[in-house]
Amino acid sequence: MEESVAALTAFVLALFVGYEVITKVPPLLHTPLMSGANAISGITLVGTLITAGMKLTLLTTILGFLAVAMATANVVGGFLITHRMLQKFHRK
Amino acid sequence: MEESVAALTAFVLALFVGYEVITKVPPLLHTPLMSGANAISGITLVGTLITAGMKLTLLTTILGFLAVAMATANVVGGFLITHRMLQKFHRK
Amino acid sequence: MSPALVNLLYLAAAVLFIVSLKMMTHPRTASNGNLVGALGMLLAVVVTLFDKRIVSFEVIIAGLIAGSLFGAVVAWRAPMTAMPQLVAVFNGLGGGASALAVGASLEETFSNAAVKTVSLQLSLSAAAAALVGAVTLTGSFVAYAKLQGLIDERPVLLPARHLINGALAAGCVALSYWLVVSPDSALAFWLLIAASGVLGVLVVIPIGGADMPVVISLLNCYSGIAAAAYGWVLNNNALIIAGSLVGAAGFILTAIMSKAMNRSLTNIMFAGLGTVAAGAAESDKVYAGRVKSTSPDEAAILLSAARKVVVVPGYGMAVAQAQFGVHDLMKKLEERGVDVQFAIHPVAGRMPGHMNVLLADAGIPYDKLKEMDEINPMFRQVDVVLVIGANDVVNPLARQNDPSVPIAGMPILDVDQARSVIIVKRSLSPGFAGIPNPLFAADNALMLFADANKAVLDILTALKEQ
Amino acid sequence: MSPALVNLLYLAAAVLFIVSLKMMTHPRTASNGNLVGALGMLLAVVVTLFDKRIVSFEVIIAGLIAGSLFGAVVAWRAPMTAMPQLVAVFNGLGGGASALAVGASLEETFSNAAVKTVSLQLSLSAAAAALVGAVTLTGSFVAYAKLQGLIDERPVLLPARHLINGALAAGCVALSYWLVVSPDSALAFWLLIAASGVLGVLVVIPIGGADMPVVISLLNCYSGIAAAAYGWVLNNNALIIAGSLVGAAGFILTAIMSKAMNRSLTNIMFAGLGTVAAGAAESDKVYAGRVKSTSPDEAAILLSAARKVVVVPGYGMAVAQAQFGVHDLMKKLEERGVDVQFAIHPVAGRMPGHMNVLLADAGIPYDKLKEMDEINPMFRQVDVVLVIGANDVVNPLARQNDPSVPIAGMPILDVDQARSVIIVKRSLSPGFAGIPNPLFAADNALMLFADANKAVLDILTALKEQ
Ligand SMILES: NC(=O)c1ccc[n+]([C@@H]2O[C@H](COP(=O)([O-])OP(=O)(O)OC[C@H]3O[C@@H](n4cnc5c(N)ncnc54)[C@H](OP(=O)(O)O)[C@@H]3O)[C@@H](O)[C@H]2O)c1
Ligand SMILES: NC(=O)c1ccc[n+]([C@@H]2O[C@H](COP(=O)([O-])OP(=O)(O)OC[C@H]3O[C@@H](n4cnc5c(N)ncnc54)[C@H](OP(=O)(O)O)[C@@H]3O)[C@@H](O)[C@H]2O)c1
């Protein structure tokens, strides 16, 4: 239970941080923000790594592989398209 | 150590929250902000309560009493002057 | 590594994510901010790989390579105009990944002969991951298919759809209950995955293509919350913090879009908007012979005689891919000493910031892109406004209080205050909101009926020939 | 109560503090925001009292009553003009409280015959609390005494003060080391308290009265960090989060003040500014017979003939307590159809937001108080600017790049662009920065030499007699 309260604390505080920071992003950058946030949501990769790292049966091996591959695609693709988009923004 | 990392997490996230929120306070309200923040820093009252709640010797009793009284003065006085100041602000 | 050190490094990764989002608040720093975010992710992954819990690396390495290749190739080859659907695909993959990972944990627990029960935490999180993950996966793919034109982007309204969806949702709840209360095999989990997957399809199908960005943003919000919940199970701060950041981002972007469209989220999700066609009678009343049309040559003369020109891009520019022509037009006019600026409405196009990305792609510097509040007071001093494929965002009907007007109360660009307005579109047909636009019949308005790209190129040719 | 529930409620208290600060971002919600903060504090205190660890309530109740009475009486009776020093006093008390509380824990541990060693966590936190707490206590009281006029507010520059302070600081470090490494009695702790207390006095004494707000804000920042450290020892999230919020607030306000004064923190803390007097020769050159003075009657005529008047208040208005007269003057002018507004420079007066509090106290609505960036572009349309006891914030020398000018680069109110400027002050003597002000010799400037309050009342009388 103690641990859960600590987790909740981090969750609540991060929500506040997220709210404050993201309301400051100008409309100009809303599309890259959307895709950048999506890339960050690929953090589930960390969870899939832990799962895939303890392979046992054939079924779990396949599931683990798929999970890691999909999460990696989310992360790599997400950061890459955001990067491509932001490269286009420049001053005169 | 685990606990310390959780504490550090809360500390770091709260610093971000504080920074984001407080940079949004307009100069109009900087004086009440200063005194309001000071009132909140009176949260050490909670710590002094825990200490004073386990009285043992005469010396620690006196110290505990003084600590609680001083921290309470900080809290009560702090919120009160902030309140008085803010009562003055009104639209036409 | 000691658990404390691992957690400290996860915290560092989370701080990098926060810094990354903070750097996104300015176009000068945004690009580096994205790299900072990627660095945070790299740190989190490396820390995880060094953590004691991982015993076998083959599957991981294979997955990392396969996923990286797929992600990189898709992201690298996609055109800038396909950004919304790309975000949907990647988001869907992320949601699916967490569902599968939890499924693997579950199967492993059951395959272990010694263990006959599953902890409450695991079964709870498995139910949550299955629900959110599968809905995100299939919902995002439907959104992708609609935007990519693989399936009809109009709302597909099944008869009794609310009933079917309600029944499916009830089934999902029942399956979750089974999974949590008597977890004796993984069957409940996979059934739940299947039901949620179907639900994801059925929920998104009746939403019009134009509302897809809202859906994508909402699914993004979900996947953030799911990541945070997953982090709670693993007791991992990086997941918790990153997840809630993403949740907040998705929520705020969704709210901004609904607010700028002046519609509630419920309306977007359940009203099946996008099927209504404007009544012909109504538009006849508005336009009734008062619409003046013009030619590219005349437009070129007007533009080159102006001192101050403002371009208002809209969804039609995106459809026609006219942004490159617009860039050349801007250059040509500037050569002739005309001051050219761009007025960007917050919901022009079909996703937040849509126009900005396209114009930036065409090489137009971002300091020429003005936000609505900044440029609205200046329209009185503008000689010519060139509206390219925009409609709702310049519709003066929005200023009325009439609740039957779907965009009533939405702030618009006050282009009607300029000396003259040239509107490029193919016909008098309405925009996303499906209502006529009195601007087209205004005294100072001239219609240039053509595909946006063709019109811009024709004006350019006319300018060169002058 | 279970520990988890206690922690949950502490988290709720912390969230209330955050919400409280968020509500401080708008004058409409700020007052309720303060109440929300007080509610959070009440919650934290009640939770603590119900927590198992507390066995004896007599001392606590006595302390709560004594502290509440003292705090309430002092806060209730103090005039609005004494706000900076009041904040200093309360902040000092808070710092002292945590030092004493840690001292009590330490004494108790040593008095317990069974325990012969102290945990590293306790000794570390004891050293930190002694240092920060005692410095905050004595430093705040010196700041109080300076602002309250109990001691000379000019910098007291001891010979070899850097040497003495350095030696004291080294002593503090040595005592802390002793306390942490071989904690066998509380002696090291009390010696450390004494040394830090002296250090607090010596560090603040050489700082000029006008720089006190920066010092107070910095000490506020320290006490926040100290509370967070204390929370780390007690493993209490309410303390950690509230402490870091306060730390951030103190830090940001300090930074805003230094930046607006265009000075570094080091300069404020160690330069002993406030002793320099402007060279008479230099000011002769600037003013040399070009200063025109005026009378309250003439000022009244100018003001009542104006359509737009802007009042610029400064430190002199606070000294003369002229805000009530200013309020009446505003009313009178408005009766005559004159548009009156106030231009508030971010560092006018002696603490951030100083002028706003005084003018609000006098009943002037806050929508008449304009920030610098908002009003600067409008001065060209202003007929009369009435500068009341302000000097540095309207000094055009700040626009120069000359590094010998202490305020060079500080943004100022562009009052010299108005049609005419009336400056109320008692003499040509300089303001806080100690430099002459070319504005006083400008063609469109008129000096009204008098105490601010007297001048305002005289103008008011003249207006009534007109
Ligand atoms: N940005 C967002 O986040 C977002 C999200 C969801 C919904 N929306 C909604 O989308 C709308 C955006 O307004 P908008 O003014 O940008 O677009 P709009 O109101 O949808 O109008 C687009 C116009 O472009 C014209 N068009 C289409 N293809 C064209 C082509 N190839 N060449 C020239 N013109 C073409 C169409 O007229 P013709 O057919 O006559 O050519 C149409 O009237 C708003 O109602 C908003 O609420 C926005
Ligand atoms: N606000 C902050 O946070 C803060 C903090 C620390 C330092 N500061 C500094 O304080 C200064 C503030 O500028 P300011 O323009 O408000 O004040 P100022 O430059 O200090 O000038 C105040 C003027 O008021 C006049 N005065 C004093 N008593 C008066 C009375 N009874 N009646 C009429 N006039 C009186 C003085 O002239 P006479 O003696 O001729 O009357 C003096 O020139 C800046 O340099 C700023 O950097 C501000």
Side-chain angles (χ1 to χ4, degrees):
Chain A
M1 279 305 283
E2 279 290 311
E3 263 179 7
S4 291
V5 174
L8 188 67
T9 306
F11 180 68
V12 170
L13 289 175
L15 278 185
F16 274 109
V17 175
Y19 179 83
E20 296 299 331
V21 170
I22 283 153
T23 46
K24 278 189 192 156
V25 175
L28 174 68
L29 293 171
H30 276 169
T31 302
L33 169 65
M34 195 161 154
S35 89
N38 171 47
I40 291 178
S41 81
I43 186 75
T44 40
L45 173 57
V46 163
T48 63
L49 288 180
I50 293 176
T51 306
M54 7 183 221
K55 77 149 184 222
L56 264 178
T57 65
L58 179 66
L59 177 64
T60 58
T61 305
I62 295 176
L63 289 176
F65 167 77
L66 277 178
V68 172
M70 285 160 74
T72 310
N74 183 3
V75 168
V76 173
F79 281 115
L80 202 59
I81 50 172
T82 313
H83 182 73
R84 278 186 59 204
M85 255 187 265
L86 288 171
Q87 282 301 307
K88 311 277 183 178
F89 284 87
H90 53 81
R91 280 190 103 81
K92 201 163 34 233
Chain B
M1 280 306 282
E2 279 290 312
E3 265 180 5
S4 291
V5 175
L8 187 67
T9 305
F11 180 68
V12 170
L13 289 175
L15 278 185
F16 273 108
V17 175
Y19 179 83
E20 296 300 331
V21 170
I22 284 152
T23 45
K24 278 189 193 156
V25 175
L28 173 68
L29 292 171
H30 276 169
T31 302
L33 169 66
M34 195 160 153
S35 88
N38 172 47
I40 291 178
S41 81
I43 186 73
T44 41
L45 173 56
V46 163
T48 63
L49 287 180
I50 294 176
T51 307
M54 8 182 222
K55 79 150 185 225
L56 264 179
T57 66
L58 179 67
L59 178 62
T60 56
T61 306
I62 297 176
L63 289 176
F65 168 76
L66 278 179
V68 172
M70 285 160 75
T72 310
N74 183 4
V75 168
V76 173
F79 281 114
L80 201 59
I81 49 172
T82 313
H83 181 72
R84 278 189 58 205
M85 254 187 265
L86 288 171
Q87 282 300 308
K88 311 278 183 178
F89 284 87
H90 54 80
R91 282 190 101 83
K92 197 161 40 230
Chain C
M1 283 194 282
S2 80
L5 181 60
V6 168
N7 283 341
L8 212 59
L9 291 174
Y10 278 140
L11 177 60
V15 168
L16 288 176
F17 293 144
I18 296 177
V19 172
S20 158
L21 288 178
K22 273 179 74 69
M23 291 173 79
M24 286 268 184
T25 55
H26 198 284
R28 227 189 2 256
T29 53
S31 189
N32 286 333
N34 184 51
L35 296 182
V36 169
L39 190 70
M41 192 61 78
L42 186 67
L43 179 60
V45 168
V46 170
V47 169
T48 310
L49 293 181
F50 275 99
D51 190 1
K52 294 195 259 301
R53 274 179 286 182
I54 291 188
V55 289
S56 130
F57 283 88
E58 301 84 353
V59 179
I60 289 181
I61 291 171
L64 285 175
I65 292 177
S68 302
L69 279 181
F70 176 78
V73 169
V74 171
W76 203 251
R77 292 182 37 189
M80 277 294 138
T81 40
M83 287 304 136
Q85 50 264 53
L86 228 63
V87 173
V89 168
F90 289 133
N91 191 36
L93 288 177
S98 44
L100 291 187
V102 174
S105 302
L106 211 61
E107 286 289 355
E108 193 200 283
T109 316
F110 287 120
S111 74
N112 191 333
V115 184
K116 270 276 140 280
T117 56
V118 169
S119 74
L120 182 69
Q121 206 180 20
L122 180 57
S123 60
L124 259 179
S125 74
L131 254 172
V132 179
V135 167
T136 307
L137 181 71
T138 59
S140 298
F141 276 86
V142 173
Y144 165 78
K146 286 210 173 204
L147 288 175
Q148 193 71 7
L150 301 183
I151 61 175
D152 190 346
E153 70 157 2
R154 274 173 309 177
V156 178
L157 298 178
L158 298 182
R161 63 199 167 92
H162 290 311
L163 206 76
I164 301 177
N165 289 355
L168 254 177
C172 288
V173 171
L175 286 168
S176 312
Y177 184 78
W178 177 18
L179 182 59
V180 172
V181 173
S182 63
D184 41 16
S185 87
L187 181 64
F189 178 81
W190 297 113
L191 286 178
L192 184 55
I193 291 262
S196 312
V198 176
L199 188 64
V201 173
L202 290 186
V203 162
V204 179
I205 277 268
I207 303 176
D211 278 335
M212 277 307 127
V214 185
V215 174
I216 295 174
S217 187
L218 198 66
L219 290 175
N220 212 346
C221 171
Y222 288 165
S223 64
I225 304 289
Y230 198 1
W232 173 64
V233 175
L234 298 173
N235 193 24
N236 181 318
N237 268 331
L239 276 158
I240 294 175
I241 298 174
S244 43
L245 292 175
V246 174
F251 178 77
I252 292 171
L253 287 178
T254 311
I256 288 176
M257 278 190 268
S258 337
K259 197 174 149 226
M261 290 193 288
N262 209 35
R263 287 166 61 200
S264 74
L265 200 53
T266 339
N267 177 287
I268 294 170
M269 296 302 287
F270 300 115
L273 213 80
T275 33
V276 246
E282 201 187 337
S283 42
D284 273 358
K285 215 169 54 199
V286 172
Y287 300 133
R290 272 179 292 158
V291 173
K292 298 182 288 292
S293 68
T294 182
S295 65
D297 293 319
E298 198 187 345
I301 293 171
L302 270 172
L303 287 170
S304 59
R307 269 180 312 126
K308 224 173 143 55
V309 168
V310 169
V311 177
V312 176
Y315 177 60
M317 184 190 82
V319 174
Q321 292 273 30
Q323 64 269 26
F324 302 98
V326 169
H327 170 261
D328 297 343
L329 183 61
M330 171 193 88
K331 283 278 172 221
K332 190 92 221 151
L333 287 172
E334 285 185 337
E335 269 171 30
R336 305 210 169 181
V338 182
D339 174 36
V340 184
Q341 303 213 304
F342 293 79
I344 313 290
H345 190 280
V347 291
R350 288 294 182 265
M351 58 189 276
H354 197 171
M355 294 298 120
N356 301 294
V357 174
L358 296 180
L359 294 174
D361 188 26
I364 292 168
Y366 62 76
D367 39 1
K368 285 197 160 299
L369 313 181
K370 304 295 176 196
E371 285 177 30
M372 180 168 64
D373 294 339
E374 191 184 348
I375 200 145
N376 260 350
M378 302 204 267
F379 275 115
R380 280 180 202 288
Q381 281 101 53
V382 173
D383 300 305
V384 182
V385 170
L386 184 63
V387 176
I388 304 183
N391 188 342
D392 296 343
V393 300
V394 294
N395 191 336
L397 280 184
R399 295 194 192 120
Q400 295 183 1
N401 251 337
D402 181 357
S404 75
V405 175
I407 59 169
M410 170 171 113
I412 60 160
L413 291 166
D414 299 329
V415 296
D416 47 354
Q417 297 181 350
R419 206 140 316 150
S420 53
V421 184
I422 303 174
I423 299 129
V424 178
K425 65 198 290 287
R426 295 163 307 178
S427 64
L428 279 177
S429 71
F432 175 70
I435 50 169
N437 190 338
L439 174 73
F440 302 161
D443 288 339
N444 58 345
L446 293 169
M447 303 297 296
L448 181 51
F449 292 115
D451 173 79
N453 196 39
K454 184 165 178 312
V456 168
L457 296 181
D458 286 350
I459 296 177
L460 207 56
T461 320
L463 274 175
K464 283 182 186 147
E465 283 168 1
Q466 262 178 22
Chain D
M1 282 194 283
S2 80
L5 180 61
V6 169
N7 282 342
L8 213 59
L9 290 175
Y10 278 140
L11 176 60
V15 168
L16 288 176
F17 293 145
I18 295 177
V19 172
S20 158
L21 289 178
K22 273 180 75 69
M23 291 175 78
M24 286 267 184
T25 53
H26 198 285
R28 226 186 5 253
T29 53
S31 191
N32 286 332
N34 185 52
L35 296 182
V36 169
L39 190 72
M41 191 61 77
L42 185 67
L43 178 62
V45 168
V46 170
V47 169
T48 312
L49 292 181
F50 275 97
D51 190 3
K52 297 193 259 299
R53 273 179 288 182
I54 291 188
V55 290
S56 130
F57 283 88
E58 301 85 352
V59 179
I60 289 181
I61 290 170
L64 285 175
I65 293 177
S68 301
L69 279 180
F70 177 78
V73 169
V74 170
W76 203 251
R77 293 182 38 189
M80 277 294 137
T81 39
M83 286 305 136
Q85 50 264 52
L86 228 62
V87 173
V89 168
F90 289 132
N91 192 36
L93 287 177
S98 45
L100 291 187
V102 173
S105 304
L106 212 62
E107 285 289 355
E108 192 201 282
T109 317
F110 287 121
S111 73
N112 191 334
V115 183
K116 271 275 140 284
T117 56
V118 169
S119 73
L120 182 66
Q121 207 180 18
L122 180 56
S123 60
L124 258 180
S125 75
L131 254 172
V132 178
V135 167
T136 307
L137 182 71
T138 58
S140 297
F141 276 85
V142 172
Y144 166 77
K146 285 210 174 204
L147 286 175
Q148 193 70 6
L150 300 184
I151 61 175
D152 191 346
E153 69 157 1
R154 275 172 309 178
V156 178
L157 299 179
L158 299 181
R161 65 200 164 91
H162 290 312
L163 207 74
I164 301 179
N165 290 355
L168 254 176
C172 288
V173 170
L175 285 167
S176 312
Y177 184 79
W178 177 18
L179 182 59
V180 173
V181 173
S182 63
D184 42 16
S185 88
L187 181 64
F189 177 82
W190 296 112
L191 285 178
L192 183 55
I193 291 264
S196 312
V198 176
L199 189 61
V201 173
L202 290 186
V203 163
V204 178
I205 278 271
I207 303 176
D211 278 335
M212 276 309 124
V214 185
V215 174
I216 295 173
S217 186
L218 199 65
L219 290 174
N220 212 346
C221 171
Y222 287 164
S223 64
I225 303 289
Y230 198 1
W232 174 64
V233 174
L234 298 173
N235 193 25
N236 180 319
N237 268 332
L239 276 158
I240 294 176
I241 297 173
S244 43
L245 291 175
V246 174
F251 178 77
I252 292 171
L253 286 177
T254 311
I256 288 175
M257 280 191 266
S258 340
K259 195 174 151 230
M261 292 194 287
N262 210 34
R263 288 165 60 199
S264 73
L265 200 53
T266 339
N267 177 289
I268 294 170
M269 296 303 286
F270 299 115
L273 213 80
T275 32
V276 246
E282 200 188 336
S283 42
D284 274 0
K285 216 168 53 200
V286 172
Y287 301 133
R290 270 179 292 159
V291 174
K292 297 181 289 291
S293 68
T294 181
S295 65
D297 293 318
E298 198 187 344
I301 294 171
L302 270 173
L303 286 170
S304 59
R307 269 181 310 127
K308 226 173 141 56
V309 168
V310 170
V311 177
V312 176
Y315 177 60
M317 184 191 81
V319 174
Q321 293 273 30
Q323 64 270 28
F324 301 98
V326 169
H327 170 261
D328 298 343
L329 184 60
M330 172 193 86
K331 283 280 173 217
K332 191 91 219 152
L333 288 173
E334 286 185 335
E335 271 170 28
R336 307 209 168 182
V338 182
D339 173 36
V340 184
Q341 303 213 303
F342 293 79
I344 314 291
H345 190 279
V347 292
R350 287 296 181 266
M351 59 189 276
H354 198 171
M355 295 298 120
N356 303 293
V357 174
L358 296 180
L359 294 174
D361 189 25
I364 293 168
Y366 61 76
D367 39 1
K368 286 198 160 297
L369 313 181
K370 304 294 176 197
E371 285 176 29
M372 179 167 64
D373 294 339
E374 190 184 348
I375 200 145
N376 259 350
M378 302 205 266
F379 275 114
R380 280 179 203 287
Q381 280 102 53
V382 173
D383 300 305
V384 182
V385 171
L386 184 63
V387 176
I388 304 183
N391 190 342
D392 296 343
V393 300
V394 294
N395 192 336
L397 280 183
R399 295 193 192 119
Q400 295 182 0
N401 251 335
D402 179 358
S404 76
V405 175
I407 58 169
M410 170 172 114
I412 61 159
L413 290 166
D414 299 328
V415 296
D416 47 353
Q417 296 180 348
R419 206 141 315 150
S420 54
V421 185
I422 303 174
I423 299 129
V424 178
K425 65 198 292 284
R426 296 164 307 181
S427 65
L428 280 176
S429 72
F432 175 71
I435 51 168
N437 188 339
L439 173 72
F440 303 160
D443 288 340
N444 58 345
L446 293 169
M447 303 297 298
L448 180 50
F449 291 114
D451 172 80
N453 196 37
K454 184 167 179 310
V456 169
L457 296 181
D458 287 351
I459 296 176
L460 207 54
T461 320
L463 274 176
K464 284 181 186 149
E465 284 167 2
Q466 262 178 22

